Amino acid sequence: MDMRVPWPVIGLVVGLALGFAGAFGGAGAFFLVLFLGALGFVVGRVIEGSLDLGQVFSTGRTGRRPR
């Protein structure tokens, strides 16, 4: 039985809970909860190790300097 901690799901739940705690009602609250949920999911993936932020924000340079 695999007993790994599902960090992305935990991050998603925490982000959603913070969103609900921070805003009640309206379209603004919906987008705030959506954003915080997505942010929590990404943080969970980083903690889990399945997402490398260095590769995500890489500039794609090959080591050559621009002229």
Coordinates of all heavy atoms in Angstrom, one line a residue:
M1 N 0.8 -1.2 0.0 CA 0.0 0.0 0.0 C 0.9 1.2 0.0 O 1.8 1.4 0.8 CB -0.9 0.0 1.2 CG -1.8 1.2 1.3 SD -2.6 1.4 2.8 CE -4.2 0.6 2.5
D2 N 0.6 2.2 -0.9 CA 1.4 3.4 -1.0 C 0.8 4.4 -0.1 O -0.3 4.9 -0.2 CB 1.3 3.9 -2.5 CG 2.2 5.1 -2.7 OD1 3.1 5.3 -1.9 OD2 2.1 5.7 -3.8
M3 N 1.7 4.9 0.9 CA 1.2 5.8 1.9 C 1.8 7.2 1.7 O 2.1 7.9 2.7 CB 1.6 5.3 3.3 CG 1.0 4.0 3.7 SD -0.8 4.1 3.7 CE -1.0 5.1 5.1
R4 N 2.0 7.6 0.4 CA 2.5 9.0 0.2 C 1.5 10.0 0.5 O 0.3 9.8 0.4 CB 2.9 9.1 -1.3 CG 4.1 8.2 -1.6 CD 4.6 8.4 -3.0 NE 3.8 9.4 -3.8 CZ 4.0 9.7 -5.0 NH1 4.9 9.1 -5.7 NH2 3.3 10.7 -5.6
V5 N 2.0 11.2 0.9 CA 1.1 12.3 1.2 C 0.7 13.0 -0.1 O 1.6 13.3 -0.8 CB 1.8 13.3 2.2 CG1 0.9 14.5 2.4 CG2 2.2 12.6 3.5
P6 N -0.6 13.1 -0.4 CA -1.0 13.8 -1.6 C -0.8 15.3 -1.5 O -1.8 16.0 -1.4 CB -2.4 13.3 -1.8 CG -2.9 13.1 -0.4 CD -1.7 12.7 0.4
W7 N 0.4 15.8 -1.6 CA 0.6 17.3 -1.4 C -0.2 18.2 -2.4 O -0.7 19.2 -1.9 CB 2.1 17.6 -1.5 CG 2.9 17.1 -0.3 CD1 3.8 16.1 -0.3 CD2 2.7 17.6 1.0 NE1 4.2 15.9 1.0 CE2 3.6 16.8 1.8 CE3 2.0 18.6 1.6 CZ2 3.7 17.0 3.2 CZ3 2.1 18.8 3.0 CH2 3.0 18.0 3.7
P8 N -0.3 17.8 -3.6 CA -1.1 18.7 -4.5 C -2.6 18.8 -4.0 O -3.1 19.9 -4.1 CB -1.0 18.0 -5.9 CG 0.2 17.2 -5.8 CD 0.3 16.8 -4.4
V9 N -3.1 17.7 -3.6 CA -4.5 17.8 -3.1 C -4.6 18.6 -1.8 O -5.6 19.4 -1.6 CB -5.1 16.4 -3.0 CG1 -6.5 16.4 -2.4 CG2 -5.1 15.6 -4.3
I10 N -3.7 18.4 -0.9 CA -3.7 19.1 0.3 C -3.5 20.6 0.1 O -4.2 21.4 0.7 CB -2.6 18.6 1.3 CG1 -3.0 17.2 1.8 CG2 -2.3 19.5 2.4 CD1 -1.9 16.5 2.5
G11 N -2.6 20.9 -0.8 CA -2.4 22.3 -1.2 C -3.7 22.9 -1.8 O -4.0 24.1 -1.6
L12 N -4.3 22.2 -2.7 CA -5.6 22.7 -3.3 C -6.6 22.9 -2.2 O -7.3 24.0 -2.2 CB -6.1 21.6 -4.3 CG -7.4 21.9 -4.9 CD1 -7.3 23.2 -5.8 CD2 -7.9 20.8 -5.8
V13 N -6.8 22.0 -1.2 CA -7.8 22.2 -0.2 C -7.4 23.4 0.7 O -8.3 24.2 1.1 CB -7.9 20.9 0.6 CG1 -8.7 21.1 1.9 CG2 -8.5 19.8 -0.2
V14 N -6.2 23.5 1.0 CA -5.8 24.7 1.9 C -6.0 26.0 1.1 O -6.5 27.0 1.7 CB -4.3 24.5 2.3 CG1 -3.8 25.8 2.9 CG2 -4.1 23.4 3.3
G15 N -5.7 26.0 -0.2 CA -5.9 27.2 -0.9 C -7.4 27.6 -1.0 O -7.8 28.7 -0.9
L16 N -8.2 26.6 -1.2 CA -9.7 26.8 -1.3 C -10.2 27.3 0.1 O -11.1 28.2 0.1 CB -10.4 25.5 -1.7 CG -10.2 25.2 -3.2 CD1 -10.8 23.8 -3.5 CD2 -10.8 26.2 -4.1
A17 N -9.7 26.7 1.1 CA -10.2 27.1 2.5 C -9.8 28.5 2.8 O -10.6 29.3 3.3 CB -9.6 26.2 3.5
L18 N -8.6 28.9 2.4 CA -8.1 30.3 2.6 C -9.0 31.3 1.7 O -9.3 32.4 2.2 CB -6.7 30.5 2.2 CG -5.7 29.8 3.2 CD1 -4.3 29.9 2.7 CD2 -5.8 30.5 4.6
G19 N -9.3 30.8 0.5 CA -10.1 31.7 -0.3 C -11.5 31.9 0.3 O -12.0 33.0 0.3
F20 N -12.1 30.8 0.8 CA -13.4 30.9 1.4 C -13.4 31.8 2.7 O -14.3 32.6 3.0 CB -14.0 29.6 1.7 CG -14.6 28.9 0.5 CD1 -14.2 27.7 0.1 CD2 -15.7 29.5 -0.1 CE1 -14.7 27.0 -1.0 CE2 -16.3 28.8 -1.2 CZ -15.8 27.6 -1.6
A21 N -12.3 31.7 3.4 CA -12.2 32.4 4.6 C -11.9 33.9 4.3 O -12.4 34.8 5.1 CB -11.0 31.9 5.5
G22 N -11.3 34.2 3.2 CA -11.0 35.6 2.9 C -12.1 36.4 2.2 O -12.1 37.6 2.2
A23 N -13.0 35.7 1.5 CA -14.0 36.4 0.7 C -15.3 35.6 0.7 O -15.3 34.4 0.6 CB -13.5 36.5 -0.7
F24 N -16.4 36.3 0.9 CA -17.7 35.7 0.9 C -18.6 36.3 -0.1 O -19.0 37.4 0.1 CB -18.4 35.8 2.3 CG -17.7 35.0 3.4 CD1 -17.0 35.7 4.4 CD2 -17.6 33.7 3.4 CE1 -16.3 35.0 5.4 CE2 -16.9 33.0 4.4 CZ -16.3 33.7 5.4
G25 N -18.8 35.6 -1.2 CA -19.8 36.0 -2.2 C -19.3 36.9 -3.3 O -18.3 37.5 -3.2
G26 N -20.0 36.8 -4.4 CA -19.7 37.6 -5.6 C -18.7 37.0 -6.6 O -18.1 36.0 -6.3
A27 N -18.6 37.6 -7.7 CA -17.7 37.1 -8.8 C -16.3 37.3 -8.3 O -15.4 36.5 -8.6 CB -17.9 37.9 -10.1
G28 N -16.0 38.4 -7.6 CA -14.6 38.6 -7.1 C -14.2 37.5 -6.2 O -13.0 37.0 -6.3
A29 N -15.1 37.0 -5.3 CA -14.7 35.9 -4.4 C -14.5 34.7 -5.2 O -13.6 33.9 -4.8 CB -15.9 35.8 -3.4
F30 N -15.3 34.4 -6.2 CA -15.1 33.2 -7.0 C -13.7 33.2 -7.6 O -13.1 32.2 -7.5 CB -16.2 33.2 -8.1 CG -15.9 32.1 -9.1 CD1 -16.2 30.8 -8.9 CD2 -15.4 32.4 -10.4 CE1 -16.0 29.8 -9.8 CE2 -15.1 31.4 -11.3 CZ -15.4 30.1 -11.0
F31 N -13.3 34.3 -8.2 CA -12.0 34.3 -8.8 C -10.9 34.3 -7.8 O -9.8 33.7 -8.1 CB -11.8 35.5 -9.8 CG -12.6 35.4 -11.0 CD1 -13.7 36.2 -11.2 CD2 -12.3 34.4 -12.0 CE1 -14.5 36.1 -12.4 CE2 -13.1 34.3 -13.1 CZ -14.2 35.1 -13.3
L32 N -11.1 34.8 -6.6 CA -10.1 34.8 -5.6 C -9.9 33.3 -5.1 O -8.8 32.8 -5.0 CB -10.5 35.6 -4.4 CG -9.6 35.6 -3.2 CD1 -8.2 36.2 -3.5 CD2 -10.2 36.3 -2.0
V33 N -11.0 32.6 -4.9 CA -11.0 31.2 -4.5 C -10.3 30.4 -5.6 O -9.5 29.5 -5.4 CB -12.4 30.7 -4.2 CG1 -12.4 29.2 -4.0 CG2 -12.9 31.4 -2.9
L34 N -10.7 30.6 -6.9 CA -10.1 29.9 -8.0 C -8.6 30.1 -8.0 O -7.8 29.2 -8.2 CB -10.7 30.4 -9.3 CG -10.2 29.7 -10.6 CD1 -10.7 28.2 -10.6 CD2 -10.8 30.4 -11.8
F35 N -8.1 31.4 -7.9 CA -6.7 31.7 -7.9 C -6.0 31.0 -6.7 O -4.9 30.4 -6.9 CB -6.5 33.2 -7.9 CG -5.0 33.6 -7.7 CD1 -4.1 33.5 -8.8 CD2 -4.6 34.0 -6.5 CE1 -2.8 33.8 -8.6 CE2 -3.2 34.4 -6.3 CZ -2.4 34.3 -7.4
L36 N -6.5 31.1 -5.5 CA -5.8 30.6 -4.4 C -5.8 29.0 -4.4 O -4.9 28.4 -4.0 CB -6.5 31.0 -3.1 CG -6.3 32.5 -2.7 CD1 -7.1 32.9 -1.5 CD2 -4.8 32.8 -2.5
G37 N -6.9 28.4 -5.0 CA -6.9 27.0 -5.1 C -5.8 26.5 -6.1 O -5.1 25.6 -5.9
A38 N -5.7 27.3 -7.2 CA -4.6 26.9 -8.2 C -3.2 27.1 -7.6 O -2.3 26.3 -7.8 CB -4.8 27.8 -9.5
L39 N -3.1 28.2 -6.9 CA -1.8 28.5 -6.2 C -1.5 27.4 -5.2 O -0.3 26.9 -5.2 CB -1.8 29.9 -5.5 CG -0.5 30.3 -4.9 CD1 0.6 30.5 -5.9 CD2 -0.8 31.6 -4.1
G40 N -2.4 27.0 -4.4 CA -2.2 25.9 -3.5 C -1.8 24.6 -4.2 O -1.0 23.8 -3.7
F41 N -2.5 24.3 -5.3 CA -2.2 23.1 -6.1 C -0.7 23.2 -6.6 O 0.0 22.2 -6.5 CB -3.1 23.0 -7.3 CG -2.9 21.8 -8.1 CD1 -3.3 20.5 -7.6 CD2 -2.3 21.8 -9.3 CE1 -3.2 19.4 -8.3 CE2 -2.1 20.7 -10.0 CZ -2.5 19.4 -9.6
V42 N -0.3 24.3 -7.1 CA 1.1 24.4 -7.6 C 2.1 24.3 -6.5 O 3.1 23.6 -6.6 CB 1.3 25.8 -8.4 CG1 2.7 26.1 -8.7 CG2 0.5 25.8 -9.6
V43 N 1.8 24.9 -5.3 CA 2.7 24.8 -4.2 C 2.8 23.3 -3.8 O 3.9 22.8 -3.4 CB 2.3 25.7 -3.0 CG1 3.0 25.4 -1.7 CG2 2.5 27.2 -3.4
G44 N 1.7 22.7 -3.8 CA 1.7 21.2 -3.4 C 2.5 20.4 -4.4 O 3.3 19.5 -4.0
R45 N 2.5 20.7 -5.7 CA 3.3 20.0 -6.7 C 4.8 20.3 -6.5 O 5.6 19.4 -6.6 CB 2.9 20.4 -8.1 CG 1.5 20.1 -8.5 CD 1.3 18.6 -8.7 NE 1.9 18.2 -9.9 CZ 1.6 17.2 -10.7 NH1 0.6 16.4 -10.3 NH2 2.2 16.9 -11.8
V46 N 5.1 21.5 -6.1 CA 6.5 21.8 -5.8 C 7.0 21.1 -4.6 O 8.1 20.5 -4.6 CB 6.7 23.4 -5.6 CG1 8.1 23.7 -5.1 CG2 6.4 24.1 -7.0
I47 N 6.2 21.0 -3.5 CA 6.6 20.3 -2.3 C 6.8 18.8 -2.6 O 7.7 18.2 -2.1 CB 5.6 20.6 -1.2 CG1 5.6 22.0 -0.7 CG2 5.8 19.6 0.0 CD1 4.5 22.4 0.3
E48 N 5.9 18.3 -3.4 CA 5.9 16.9 -3.8 C 7.2 16.6 -4.6 O 7.7 15.5 -4.6 CB 4.7 16.5 -4.6 CG 4.6 15.1 -4.9 CD 3.3 14.8 -5.7 OE1 3.1 15.5 -6.7 OE2 2.5 13.9 -5.3
G49 N 7.6 17.6 -5.4 CA 8.8 17.4 -6.2 C 8.5 17.0 -7.6 O 9.4 16.8 -8.4
S50 N 7.3 17.1 -8.0 CA 6.9 16.8 -9.4 C 6.9 18.0 -10.3 O 6.6 17.9 -11.5 CB 5.6 16.0 -9.5 OG 4.5 16.8 -8.9
L51 N 7.2 19.2 -9.8 CA 7.2 20.4 -10.5 C 8.5 21.2 -10.1 O 8.7 21.5 -9.0 CB 6.0 21.3 -10.3 CG 5.9 22.6 -11.0 CD1 5.8 22.3 -12.5 CD2 4.7 23.4 -10.6
D52 N 9.3 21.5 -11.1 CA 10.6 22.2 -10.9 C 10.4 23.6 -11.4 O 10.2 23.9 -12.6 CB 11.7 21.5 -11.6 CG 13.0 22.2 -11.4 OD1 13.1 23.0 -10.4 OD2 14.0 21.9 -12.1
L53 N 10.3 24.6 -10.5 CA 10.1 26.0 -10.8 C 11.3 26.5 -11.6 O 11.1 27.5 -12.4 CB 9.9 26.8 -9.6 CG 8.6 26.6 -8.9 CD1 8.5 27.5 -7.6 CD2 7.4 26.8 -9.8
G54 N 12.5 26.0 -11.5 CA 13.6 26.4 -12.3 C 13.4 26.2 -13.8 O 13.8 27.0 -14.6
Q55 N 12.8 25.1 -14.1 CA 12.5 24.8 -15.5 C 11.3 25.6 -16.0 O 11.2 26.0 -17.2 CB 12.2 23.3 -15.7 CG 13.4 22.4 -15.5 CD 13.1 20.9 -15.7 OE1 11.9 20.5 -15.7 NE2 14.1 20.1 -16.0
V56 N 10.3 25.8 -15.1 CA 9.2 26.6 -15.5 C 9.5 28.0 -15.9 O 9.1 28.6 -16.9 CB 8.1 26.6 -14.4 CG1 7.0 27.5 -14.7 CG2 7.6 25.2 -14.2
F57 N 10.4 28.7 -15.1 CA 10.8 30.0 -15.3 C 12.1 30.2 -16.0 O 12.7 31.3 -16.0 CB 10.8 30.8 -14.0 CG 9.5 30.9 -13.3 CD1 9.2 30.3 -12.2 CD2 8.5 31.7 -13.9 CE1 7.9 30.4 -11.6 CE2 7.2 31.8 -13.4 CZ 6.9 31.1 -12.2
S58 N 12.6 29.1 -16.7 CA 13.8 29.2 -17.4 C 13.7 30.1 -18.6 O 12.6 30.1 -19.3 CB 14.2 27.8 -17.8 OG 15.3 27.8 -18.7
T59 N 14.7 30.8 -19.0 CA 14.7 31.7 -20.1 C 15.0 31.0 -21.4 O 14.9 31.5 -22.5 CB 15.7 32.9 -19.9 OG1 17.0 32.3 -19.8 CG2 15.3 33.7 -18.8
G60 N 15.5 29.7 -21.3 CA 15.8 28.9 -22.5 C 17.1 29.3 -23.1 O 17.3 29.1 -24.3
R61 N 18.0 29.9 -22.4 CA 19.3 30.3 -22.9 C 20.2 29.1 -23.2 O 20.1 28.1 -22.4 CB 20.0 31.3 -22.0 CG 19.3 32.6 -21.8 CD 20.1 33.5 -20.9 NE 19.3 34.7 -20.7 CZ 19.5 35.5 -19.6 NH1 20.5 35.2 -18.8 NH2 18.8 36.5 -19.5
T62 N 21.0 29.2 -24.2 CA 21.9 28.1 -24.5 C 23.3 28.3 -24.1 O 24.2 27.6 -24.4 CB 21.8 27.8 -26.0 OG1 22.3 29.0 -26.7 CG2 20.5 27.4 -26.5
G63 N 23.5 29.4 -23.4 CA 24.8 29.7 -22.9 C 25.5 30.8 -23.7 O 26.6 31.2 -23.4
R64 N 25.0 31.1 -24.9 CA 25.6 32.2 -25.7 C 25.1 33.6 -25.3 O 24.0 33.7 -24.9 CB 25.2 32.0 -27.2 CG 25.8 30.7 -27.8 CD 25.6 30.7 -29.2 NE 24.3 29.9 -29.4 CZ 23.6 30.0 -30.5 NH1 23.9 30.8 -31.5 NH2 22.5 29.3 -30.6
R65 N 26.0 34.5 -25.4 CA 25.7 35.9 -25.0 C 25.1 36.6 -26.3 O 25.5 36.4 -27.4 CB 26.9 36.6 -24.6 CG 27.4 36.3 -23.2 CD 28.3 37.3 -22.7 NE 29.6 36.7 -22.5 CZ 30.7 37.4 -22.3 NH1 30.7 38.7 -22.4 NH2 31.8 36.8 -22.1
P66 N 24.1 37.5 -26.0 CA 23.6 38.3 -27.2 C 24.6 39.3 -27.6 O 25.5 39.8 -26.9 CB 22.4 39.0 -26.6 CG 22.6 39.0 -25.1 CD 23.5 37.8 -24.8
R67 N 24.6 39.6 -28.9 CA 25.5 40.5 -29.5 C 25.0 41.9 -29.3 O 24.0 42.3 -29.3 CB 25.7 40.3 -31.0 CG 26.5 39.0 -31.2 CD 26.7 38.8 -32.6 NE 27.6 37.6 -32.8 CZ 28.0 37.3 -34.0 NH1 27.7 37.9 -35.1 NH2 28.8 36.2 -34.1

